[in-house]
Amino acid sequence: MQTISEIADAEMILFRHAQEYMFEFANTKEGDLVKYHSGYGMHLRNKYKLWFESPLTKNWRDNPESRNIDAGIDCSEDHPDAISMRIIEKIWELTQLESSIIND
């Protein structure tokens, strides 16, 4: 099973080969990470099959009655959108650590 941390670690390997992306990501304020939700988030949802196969979203897929729907919006913690955002946040945390090591 791939965890959020394992996915973030795998993505960091790619970021290290594209320093300009890691630099941009590292210099993004945490509150602004939502700007990555549509483009990079969609990439993560597709690449890691969050809509269809991922164990991270299995409960969301298999138990629609347990979803957290608020005003017609699915706010479930294991919704593919929520999982991809948590991956983005974890990658951001890793870029913060890596950039602080480089700058020390």
Side-chain angles (χ1 to χ4, degrees), residues 82-95:
I83 296 294
S84 65
M85 198 62 214
R86 293 208 324 257
I87 295 167
I88 288 169
E89 290 165 352
K90 183 64 177 175
I91 294 167
W92 180 82
E93 290 172 9
L94 293 172
T95 64

Side-chain angles (χ1 to χ4, degrees), residues 39-103:
Y40 188 51
M42 180 173 39
H43 162 77
L44 293 170
R45 290 186 292 278
N46 290 335
K47 181 177 181 178
Y48 296 101
K49 301 176 180 167
L50 297 179
W51 289 107
F52 304 108
E53 296 177 19
S54 173
L56 294 170
T57 56
K58 183 175 180 9
N59 184 61
W60 176 81
R61 287 190 316 277
D62 292 351
N63 300 301
E65 69 283 348
S66 69
R67 295 179 184 169
N68 178 16
I69 309 298
D70 184 17
I73 298 171
D74 192 337
C75 301
S76 304
E77 288 184 17
D78 54 353
H79 185 283
D81 288 340
I83 296 294
S84 65
M85 198 62 214
R86 293 208 324 257
I87 295 167
I88 288 169
E89 290 165 352
K90 183 64 177 175
I91 294 167
W92 180 82
E93 290 172 9
L94 293 172
T95 64
Q96 298 304 297
L97 288 171
E98 197 150 314
S99 66
S100 69
I101 291 168
I102 291 169
N103 292 327

Side-chain angles (χ1 to χ4, degrees), residues 1-17:
M1 173 178 163
Q2 280 193 311
T3 65
I4 288 173
S5 291
E6 289 170 338
I7 292 171
D9 289 342
E11 291 296 307
M12 280 298 292
I13 292 169
L14 300 174
F15 269 41
R16 287 185 191 104
H17 293 286

